Coordinates of all heavy atoms in Angstrom, one line a residue:
T284 N -47.5 -14.9 106.8 CA -47.3 -14.2 108.0 C -46.9 -15.2 109.1 O -47.6 -16.2 109.4 CB -48.6 -13.4 108.4 OG1 -49.0 -12.6 107.4 CG2 -48.3 -12.6 109.7
E285 N -45.8 -14.9 109.8 CA -45.3 -15.8 110.9 C -46.1 -15.5 112.1 O -46.2 -14.4 112.6 CB -43.9 -15.5 111.2 CG -42.9 -16.3 110.4 CD -41.5 -16.2 111.0 OE1 -41.3 -16.0 112.2 OE2 -40.6 -16.3 110.2
L286 N -46.7 -16.6 112.7 CA -47.4 -16.4 114.0 C -46.5 -16.0 115.1 O -46.8 -15.3 116.0 CB -48.2 -17.7 114.4 CG -49.6 -17.8 113.9 CD1 -49.8 -17.4 112.5 CD2 -50.2 -19.1 114.3
N287 N -45.2 -16.4 115.0 CA -44.2 -16.1 116.0 C -44.1 -14.6 116.2 O -44.0 -14.1 117.3 CB -42.9 -16.7 115.5 CG -41.7 -16.4 116.4 OD1 -41.3 -15.3 116.5 ND2 -41.3 -17.4 117.1
K288 N -44.1 -13.9 115.1 CA -44.0 -12.4 115.1 C -45.2 -11.7 115.8 O -45.0 -10.8 116.6 CB -43.9 -11.8 113.7 CG -42.7 -12.3 112.9 CD -41.5 -11.4 113.0 CE -40.3 -11.9 112.3 NZ -39.8 -13.2 112.7
L289 N -46.3 -12.3 115.6 CA -47.6 -11.8 116.2 C -47.5 -12.0 117.8 O -47.9 -11.1 118.5 CB -48.8 -12.4 115.6 CG -49.0 -12.4 114.1 CD1 -50.4 -12.8 113.7 CD2 -48.8 -10.9 113.6
W290 N -47.1 -13.2 118.1 CA -47.1 -13.5 119.5 C -46.0 -12.7 120.3 O -46.2 -12.2 121.4 CB -46.8 -15.0 119.8 CG -46.9 -15.4 121.2 CD1 -45.9 -16.0 121.9 CD2 -48.0 -15.4 122.1 NE1 -46.3 -16.2 123.2 CE2 -47.6 -15.9 123.4 CE3 -49.3 -14.9 122.0 CZ2 -48.5 -15.9 124.5 CZ3 -50.2 -15.0 123.1 CH2 -49.8 -15.5 124.3
A291 N -44.9 -12.5 119.6 CA -43.8 -11.7 120.1 C -44.3 -10.3 120.4 O -44.1 -9.7 121.4 CB -42.6 -11.7 119.2
R292 N -45.1 -9.8 119.4 CA -45.6 -8.4 119.5 C -46.6 -8.3 120.7 O -46.6 -7.4 121.5 CB -46.3 -8.0 118.2 CG -46.7 -6.6 118.1 CD -45.5 -5.6 118.1 NE -45.9 -4.2 117.8 CZ -46.3 -3.4 118.8 NH1 -46.3 -3.8 120.0 NH2 -46.6 -2.2 118.5
R293 N -47.4 -9.3 120.8 CA -48.5 -9.4 121.8 C -47.8 -9.4 123.2 O -48.2 -8.7 124.1 CB -49.3 -10.6 121.6 CG -50.6 -10.6 122.4 CD -50.4 -11.5 123.7 NE -51.5 -11.3 124.6 CZ -51.4 -11.1 125.9 NH1 -50.2 -11.2 126.5 NH2 -52.4 -10.9 126.6
Q294 N -46.8 -10.3 123.3 CA -46.2 -10.4 124.7 C -45.4 -9.1 125.0 O -45.5 -8.7 126.2 CB -45.2 -11.6 124.6 CG -46.0 -13.0 124.7 CD -46.9 -13.2 125.9 OE1 -48.0 -12.7 125.9 NE2 -46.4 -13.9 126.9
A295 N -44.7 -8.6 124.1 CA -43.9 -7.4 124.4 C -44.8 -6.2 124.8 O -44.4 -5.4 125.6 CB -43.1 -7.0 123.1
T296 N -46.0 -6.2 124.3 CA -46.9 -5.1 124.6 C -47.7 -5.3 125.9 O -47.9 -4.4 126.7 CB -47.9 -5.0 123.5 OG1 -47.2 -4.9 122.2 CG2 -48.8 -3.7 123.6
K297 N -48.2 -6.6 126.1 CA -49.1 -6.8 127.3 C -48.4 -7.5 128.4 O -49.1 -7.8 129.4 CB -50.3 -7.6 126.8 CG -51.2 -6.9 125.8 CD -52.5 -7.6 125.8 CE -53.5 -7.0 124.8 NZ -54.8 -7.7 124.8
F298 N -47.2 -8.0 128.3 CA -46.6 -8.7 129.4 C -45.2 -8.2 129.6 O -44.5 -7.9 128.6 CB -46.5 -10.2 128.9 CG -46.0 -11.2 129.9 CD1 -46.6 -11.4 131.1 CD2 -44.8 -11.9 129.7 CE1 -46.1 -12.2 132.1 CE2 -44.3 -12.8 130.6 CZ -44.9 -12.9 131.8
N299 N -44.8 -8.2 130.9 CA -43.4 -7.6 131.1 C -42.4 -8.6 131.6 O -41.4 -8.2 132.3 CB -43.6 -6.4 132.1 CG -42.9 -5.2 131.5 OD1 -42.1 -5.3 130.6 ND2 -43.1 -4.0 132.2
G300 N -42.6 -9.8 131.3 CA -41.5 -10.8 131.6 C -41.7 -11.4 133.0 O -42.4 -10.9 133.8
V301 N -40.9 -12.5 133.2 CA -40.9 -13.2 134.4 C -39.7 -12.8 135.2 O -38.6 -12.6 134.7 CB -40.9 -14.7 134.1 CG1 -40.7 -15.5 135.4 CG2 -42.1 -15.1 133.3
S302 N -39.9 -12.7 136.5 CA -38.8 -12.2 137.4 C -37.5 -13.0 137.2 O -37.5 -14.2 137.0 CB -39.2 -12.1 138.9 OG -39.1 -13.4 139.4
Y303 N -36.4 -12.3 137.4 CA -35.0 -12.9 137.4 C -35.0 -14.1 138.4 O -34.5 -15.2 138.0 CB -34.0 -11.9 137.7 CG -32.6 -12.4 137.7 CD1 -32.0 -12.9 136.6 CD2 -31.9 -12.5 138.9 CE1 -30.7 -13.4 136.6 CE2 -30.6 -13.0 139.0 CZ -30.0 -13.4 137.8 OH -28.7 -14.0 137.9
I304 N -35.5 -13.9 139.6 CA -35.4 -14.9 140.6 C -36.2 -16.1 140.2 O -35.7 -17.3 140.4 CB -36.0 -14.3 141.9 CG1 -35.2 -13.1 142.4 CG2 -36.1 -15.3 143.0 CD1 -35.9 -12.1 143.3
T305 N -37.3 -15.9 139.6 CA -38.1 -17.1 139.1 C -37.5 -17.8 138.0 O -37.4 -19.0 137.9 CB -39.5 -16.6 138.7 OG1 -40.2 -16.0 139.8 CG2 -40.4 -17.7 138.1
Q306 N -36.9 -17.1 137.1 CA -36.2 -17.7 135.9 C -35.0 -18.5 136.4 O -34.6 -19.5 135.8 CB -35.9 -16.7 134.9 CG -37.1 -16.1 134.2 CD -36.8 -15.4 132.9 OE1 -36.2 -15.9 132.0 NE2 -37.3 -14.2 132.8
R307 N -34.3 -18.0 137.4 CA -33.1 -18.8 137.9 C -33.6 -20.1 138.5 O -33.0 -21.1 138.4 CB -32.3 -17.9 138.9 CG -31.4 -16.9 138.3 CD -30.3 -17.6 137.5 NE -29.3 -16.6 137.0 CZ -28.5 -16.9 136.0 NH1 -28.4 -18.1 135.4 NH2 -27.6 -16.0 135.5
A308 N -34.8 -20.0 139.2 CA -35.3 -21.2 139.8 C -35.7 -22.2 138.7 O -35.5 -23.4 138.8 CB -36.6 -20.8 140.7
A309 N -36.3 -21.7 137.6 CA -36.7 -22.6 136.5 C -35.5 -23.2 135.9 O -35.5 -24.4 135.5 CB -37.5 -21.8 135.5
E310 N -34.4 -22.4 135.7 CA -33.2 -22.9 135.2 C -32.6 -24.1 136.0 O -32.2 -25.1 135.5 CB -32.1 -21.8 135.1 CG -30.8 -22.3 134.5 CD -29.7 -21.3 134.8 OE1 -29.8 -20.5 135.8 OE2 -28.7 -21.3 134.0
A311 N -32.8 -24.0 137.3 CA -32.3 -25.0 138.2 C -33.0 -26.3 138.1 O -32.5 -27.4 138.5 CB -32.3 -24.5 139.7
V312 N -34.2 -26.3 137.5 CA -35.0 -27.5 137.3 C -34.1 -28.5 136.4 O -34.3 -29.7 136.4 CB -36.3 -27.2 136.7 CG1 -37.1 -28.5 136.2 CG2 -37.2 -26.4 137.7
Y313 N -33.3 -27.8 135.5 CA -32.6 -28.6 134.5 C -31.2 -29.0 135.0 O -30.4 -29.6 134.2 CB -32.5 -27.8 133.2 CG -33.9 -27.5 132.6 CD1 -34.4 -26.2 132.6 CD2 -34.7 -28.5 132.1 CE1 -35.6 -25.9 132.0 CE2 -35.9 -28.3 131.5 CZ -36.4 -27.0 131.5 OH -37.6 -26.7 130.9
S314 N -30.8 -28.6 136.2 CA -29.4 -28.9 136.7 C -29.5 -30.4 137.0 O -30.6 -31.0 137.3 CB -29.1 -28.1 137.9 OG -29.9 -28.4 139.0
P315 N -28.4 -31.1 137.2 CA -28.4 -32.6 137.5 C -29.2 -32.8 138.8 O -30.0 -33.7 138.9 CB -26.9 -32.9 137.6 CG -26.2 -31.9 136.8 CD -27.0 -30.7 136.8
Q316 N -28.9 -32.0 139.8 CA -29.6 -32.1 141.1 C -31.1 -31.8 141.0 O -31.9 -32.5 141.5 CB -29.0 -31.2 142.2 CG -27.6 -31.3 142.5 CD -26.7 -30.4 141.6 OE1 -27.0 -30.2 140.4 NE2 -25.7 -29.9 142.1
G317 N -31.3 -30.7 140.2 CA -32.7 -30.3 140.0 C -33.5 -31.4 139.4 O -34.6 -31.7 139.8

Side-chain angles (χ1 to χ4, degrees):
T284 305
E285 271 192 32
L286 265 50
N287 179 290
K288 299 269 178 297
L289 307 187
W290 185 243
R292 186 70 173 85
R293 192 261 168 223
Q294 288 300 82
T296 308
K297 292 198 185 180
F298 182 65
N299 231 347
V301 175
S302 81
Y303 176 67
I304 299 162
T305 298
Q306 292 196 52
R307 280 295 184 198
E310 181 196 24
V312 170
Y313 299 111
S314 68
Q316 303 88 323

